[in-house]
Every structure is written in C-alpha cells, then in structure tokens.
Amino acid sequence: MDKIAVVTGTSQGLGLLLAHSLLDAGWTVYGLARSERSPILSSDKYTHVCLDISNKDAVQQFFATVPTNIDLLINNAASFKLAPLLNTDVADIDSMIDINVKGTMYCTKFAQYKMNRRGRIIFINSVAGLAEQENQAVYCASKFALTAFAGVIAKEFRDSEVSVTSIHPGG
C-alpha cells in the first residue's frame, strides 16, 4: 500500500524539495500551496491543492476529502517579512500569524482525524522559534508559538503511536 503524505507550502523552496523527495521514494503526495500547481511536480502520485492554509474552512474541507491513513503531515508553509516591528505592516502581521500559527494549527487539527495510527507530524519551524532574531519580531513570535504548539501536540500524542517532530533550520 502506498504511503500518503500531505505537505504544505509546496510551490517553492523546502516544501517543493520535500515533495520531490517523497515522490522519488514512491510516496503519494498531496501538496498544498496558495499558488497554482508547479509544473516542476508532474507525477501521477502528486495531487496539487491550491489552498490557503489560513482559511480554516478550506483546510477542513480538504482533509474531509483526503483518504484516511495519512502517514505523514509536513507543516512547512510559512510567511516571512524581515523588518523591525516599527516598519512592519499590519497586513504582514496578520499574514505571519494566520499562516505560520493558525494555518499550521488548522492543518494539524484536521489531519489528526485521518492519520495512520503510526503516522508522523513534522513541523518545519525555524531557529527563530528558539532564539530572538533582530528585525523579525512577528516572525519570531509566530515560530515560538509553533515550537510550543508542536511540543504540546507531542505530549498529547504520547499515548498513541503518532510521532511529532519539530525541526528548526537556520536561514
């Protein structure tokens, strides 16, 4: 039986690379991104879903249509703006909190009902979730929130076989 992965933020960067790696390893991948399908990902085992993870109704609807037994959820999508708080637009604050925190929470919440009993949830976080980074006040706040969320989720799943990992790469 195919292993099933859901990866957020697959239009570019790490999400795109993760989707490629999973496809190369024979996984069935559902890629979620706000942009239209990337022509780079063309496989009969790849399903692109144009979806803004900050839209809880759209996220809930997507997970309602996905087959059960998701083996892997990779929460990778993120919004970033390098600027001191004084120069950070309110729209950028909303975007970073809505995507980085709330969107990741929505995906995790709705995916848990479809997870394989030995599934894995991976949070692609950031060193900004471990240490304060100048000119990244809102981004750091969102990533610190994600660090705490992943830690608590790991504790909540400790009696199940679902594992939770939070990865904190640097820039």
Side-chain angles (χ1 to χ4, degrees):
M1 178 183 252
D2 280 348
K3 294 224 176 229
I4 298 172
V6 175
V7 182
T8 67
T10 57
S11 62
Q12 61 182 349
L14 186 56
L16 181 62
L17 292 171
L18 290 166
H20 270 293
S21 294
L22 290 165
L23 289 168
D24 288 346
W27 287 63
T28 296
V29 177
Y30 291 86
L32 289 86
R34 289 179 289 173
S35 61
E36 293 298 322
R37 182 179 180 155
S38 169
I40 299 169
L41 286 170
S42 55
S43 168
D44 59 341
K45 294 185 129 201
Y46 179 77
T47 301
H48 183 80
V49 181
C50 186
L51 183 140
D52 180 351
I53 65 167
S54 68
N55 180 334
K56 74 173 171 21
D57 294 330
V59 172
Q60 184 174 20
Q61 184 178 13
F62 163 72
F63 280 103
T65 66
V66 176
T68 28
N69 297 325
I70 295 172
D71 296 288
L72 176 63
L73 169 65
I74 301 179
N75 286 306
N76 170 70
S79 176
F80 174 79
K81 173 82 179 215
L82 180 65
L85 182 61
L86 182 64
N87 299 336
T88 302
D89 226 40
V90 171
D92 291 328
I93 293 170
D94 288 342
S95 177
M96 283 186 268
I97 298 301
D98 288 349
I99 293 169
N100 301 358
V101 181
K102 291 166 61 178
T104 299
M105 289 178 171
Y106 300 151
C107 288
T108 304
K109 173 163 182 56
F110 297 121
Q112 73 180 336
Y113 302 110
K114 298 289 186 108
M115 293 294 298
N116 183 329
R117 67 173 241 244
R118 288 194 177 110
R120 167 163 276 185
I121 301 170
I122 297 176
F123 294 85
I124 304 297
N125 205 320
S126 168
V127 293
L130 299 173
E132 296 87 4
Q133 305 289 318
E134 191 172 355
N135 297 321
Q136 298 180 33
V138 178
Y139 184 70
C140 282
S142 73
K143 291 302 187 170
F144 267 84
L146 195 57
T147 298
F149 180 69
V152 171
I153 294 303
K155 289 178 181 179
E156 290 180 4
F157 280 119
R158 78 176 150 241
D159 292 335
S160 76
E161 294 182 62
V162 173
S163 63
V164 177
T165 305
S166 186
I167 300 170
H168 296 84

